[in-house]
Amino acid sequence: MRSSIRNNLLRTGNFPIFQEISFKWVTVLAVALLPFLTLYAQEKKKDGPRFNAREVFANLHTPGLETIRKSARLDLADYWEADSVHKVMTVSGGAAWLEALTGDYAKIHVSPVSDVELKILPYKKGKIVVCVYTVGDSVQAKDSEVSFYDESLRPLDKRKFFTPPVLAQFFDIPKGSDVTMEDIREKVPFPTVAYSLSAENTDITARLTVEDYISPGDLPTVRRFLVPELRREWKGKYKF
């Protein structure tokens, strides 16, 4: 009988005592590793793929990047990380390439007349993404659209995070000057503003681009009082 039982155990590998011991060791090991697994999960959540500029660039659905396929975006990032600037064809038949890519910043040349900047910003206990889409060239005055996205790359209400400058903030007119702000408004009826971000910090810069389209006769007056740029720090909101 004993020989039969022994042979049966050897054949089936069914050793209750060893199974019990193995189960206890697995349980002990799992309990011991639990704090480390929890910490790892938290770090992955905090610094997961969607919190670096590469993955934001690859996955963000925004008008500025809609002409670049995801596979092409990933190609651009791969070449950049291999210290090579690569160009890809866009859906519209043009060429696009990366001009900068860091952990929290990216600048993409989308077309001859447009580019996109992405910046990951701290917000409360998490992060959000700001996107600046700028259109314009030597013929058309540059103008930018600013948008924001949450950690899942869903659009956010821009009004909560961005207060744009008014025209008067771009001009420094001394008291008693022969030119008033009303004169400037008449010369600049449709102001356009180009915004830019930075890889070095979380600031945003605004530049009035009216010099590209106002009449030559009004240009000297505008340039006389024009402030070159306005800069604001990120403080949970960009407020000019």
Side-chain angles (χ1 to χ4, degrees), residues 162-202:
F162 184 73
T163 302
V166 296
L167 184 62
Q169 290 178 271
F170 287 102
F171 292 90
D172 184 10
I173 304 175
K175 188 176 181 179
S177 175
D178 57 337
V179 175
T180 66
M181 195 59 221
E182 288 303 315
D183 296 328
I184 296 294
R185 288 192 178 93
E186 290 180 3
K187 300 179 189 302
V188 187
F190 305 106
T192 52
V193 181
Y195 296 96
S196 60
L197 302 170
S198 172
E200 284 73 35
N201 53 56
T202 57

Side-chain angles (χ1 to χ4, degrees), residues 18-88:
F18 291 118
Q19 287 182 339
E20 182 179 349
I21 293 174
S22 299
F23 179 77
K24 288 182 178 180
W25 275 109
V26 169
T27 304
V28 171
L29 183 61
V31 172
L33 289 176
L34 184 60
F36 299 98
L37 294 173
T38 303
L39 179 61
Y40 176 77
Q42 291 174 345
E43 290 300 315
K44 287 292 289 181
K45 182 178 180 181
K46 182 175 67 174
D47 297 318
R50 290 188 179 273
F51 289 103
N52 65 65
R54 174 194 168 100
E55 292 301 321
V56 172
F57 167 51
N59 295 288
L60 184 63
H61 295 285
T62 181
L65 298 175
E66 61 187 1
T67 61
I68 310 177
R69 298 182 180 89
K70 181 175 180 178
S71 60
R73 299 185 200 183
L74 292 172
D75 285 344
L76 290 178
D78 288 341
Y79 274 94
W80 182 273
E81 291 172 355
D83 295 324
S84 177
V85 177
H86 180 62
K87 295 183 179 181
V88 296

Side-chain angles (χ1 to χ4, degrees), residues 148-165:
F148 295 83
Y149 302 85
D150 66 12
E151 298 172 354
S152 299
L153 302 185
R154 294 171 299 196
L156 295 168
D157 184 356
K158 182 172 70 174
R159 295 170 298 180
K160 183 178 179 180
F161 303 98
F162 184 73
T163 302

